[in-house]
Amino acid sequence: MTIDKSLLTGSTTMLILKLLDESDMYGYQMIEELRKKSNNTFELKAGTLYPLLHTLEQKNMLTSYEETADNARVRKYYSITKKGRKHLSEKKEEWKAYTSAVNDVLGGATFATA
Amino acid sequence: MTIDKSLLTGSTTMLILKLLDESDMYGYQMIEELRKKSNNTFELKAGTLYPLLHTLEQKNMLTSYEETADNARVRKYYSITKKGRKHLSEKKEEWKAYTSAVNDVLGGATFATA
DNA sequence: CTCCATATGTAGATAATCTATATAATTATA
DNA sequence: TATAATTATATAGATTATCTACATATGGAG
């Protein structure tokens, strides 16, 4: 298997797809969810997320629809597609291979469990 | 602890420092070592490595010296400094925190061990 | 002698993310 | 009720890491 060179910088895409694999969400909600699930490690910026969502939609990994919340505020929900799920699955494999390789260099099994 | 935003793209620096933490090496050797230790996952390019080594030397994380090999070829060896070791230690902590956070989002303990 | 591996290096391109800025509605606060 | 903070989406421009491509030169194999 070939590791995508952009995996390091591209892990944000994987995380977004993972969130949407669990349920449809709107942008602002993704930022909050990512922050919570990672124990405040990820503070994804709006300026990073929205262009990324637009790109993923163009690539047919996501579809979107607008929905009016109780308070009459309009939110844009995103839904993962079959193509998006396939991409997520591939990225997860790459992530495992990459972290495993880094841990090998950092000292093998002794490091990862330290 | 705050996670360095450039950790994703910056893991190459950590890996280079780790190699030099074990023994002095010259550039070409680092590429080979990284490839071997990672089971061919990392194919670091010369165009990535050499400018990176120069930058790390400027930042006093490394020092260098030239040595003539048996075959009369001159090699430029790099040695890690105290400052470099401190930086490596910090990067390793960030790496652990980051991968842990990603794995949390990807499904917690069930993912990492799957 | 020619080709390949070794060895170091720079320039320019690409891509991911960030900061800064913009807009606007809702909710909380004084 | 005015004002500030939060919610919500969006774009432009800057930064940075890495890559590809190119340049140079030596040593060893055929």
Side-chain angles (χ1 to χ4, degrees):
Chain A
M1 184 180 59
T2 311
I3 298 292
D4 184 346
K5 305 295 187 344
S6 69
L7 173 70
L8 293 163
T9 45
S11 68
T12 302
T13 297
M14 174 176 71
L15 297 175
I16 293 305
L17 289 176
K18 172 61 186 173
L19 290 185
L20 293 176
D21 192 41
E22 288 168 5
S23 70
D24 291 3
M25 286 190 194
Y26 54 96
Y28 195 87
Q29 186 184 9
M30 293 176 208
I31 293 173
E32 294 296 299
E33 277 293 309
L34 216 53
R35 194 179 51 73
K36 275 183 222 161
K37 289 204 175 190
S38 71
N39 294 301
N40 298 308
T41 297
F42 298 126
E43 305 268 2
L44 185 58
K45 300 301 187 296
T48 305
L49 179 62
Y50 292 109
L52 179 58
L53 289 173
H54 303 159
T55 303
L56 289 173
E57 190 171 18
Q58 275 168 37
K59 288 180 179 169
N60 299 310
M61 307 249 182
L62 307 179
T63 53
S64 67
Y65 55 93
E66 297 202 334
E67 220 172 70
T68 306
D70 295 342
N71 53 18
R73 186 192 290 278
V74 177
R75 290 165 174 166
K76 195 169 176 184
Y77 281 81
Y78 287 90
S79 187
I80 192 169
T81 63
K82 190 177 171 183
K83 191 178 173 189
R85 284 205 184 80
K86 188 166 175 247
H87 190 71
L88 170 60
S89 171
E90 286 163 6
K91 287 292 162 187
K92 277 159 78 174
E93 287 306 311
E94 286 177 18
W95 169 252
K96 274 201 269 189
Y98 184 84
T99 51
S100 164
V102 170
N103 288 333
D104 281 347
V105 176
L106 288 183
T110 51
F111 176 77
T113 55
Chain B
M1 185 182 59
T2 312
I3 298 293
D4 184 346
K5 304 298 189 339
S6 71
L7 173 71
L8 293 163
T9 46
S11 69
T12 302
T13 296
M14 174 177 71
L15 298 175
I16 294 305
L17 289 176
K18 171 62 186 174
L19 290 185
L20 294 176
D21 192 42
E22 288 169 3
S23 69
D24 291 2
M25 286 189 194
Y26 53 96
Y28 196 86
Q29 186 184 8
M30 294 177 209
I31 293 172
E32 294 296 300
E33 278 293 309
L34 216 53
R35 194 179 51 71
K36 275 182 221 161
K37 289 205 175 189
S38 70
N39 294 303
N40 299 308
T41 298
F42 298 125
E43 305 268 2
L44 185 60
K45 300 303 186 295
T48 304
L49 179 62
Y50 292 109
L52 180 57
L53 289 173
H54 303 160
T55 303
L56 289 173
E57 190 171 19
Q58 275 169 36
K59 289 182 181 168
N60 299 311
M61 307 245 182
L62 307 179
T63 52
S64 66
Y65 55 95
E66 297 204 332
E67 221 172 67
T68 306
D70 295 342
N71 52 21
R73 187 192 290 277
V74 177
R75 289 164 175 167
K76 194 169 176 183
Y77 281 82
Y78 286 91
S79 186
I80 192 169
T81 64
K82 190 177 171 184
K83 191 178 173 189
R85 283 203 185 81
K86 189 168 174 246
H87 190 70
L88 170 60
S89 171
E90 286 163 6
K91 287 290 162 188
K92 277 159 79 173
E93 288 306 311
E94 286 177 19
W95 169 253
K96 274 200 268 189
Y98 184 84
T99 52
S100 163
V102 171
N103 288 333
D104 281 348
V105 176
L106 289 182
T110 52
F111 175 78
T113 54

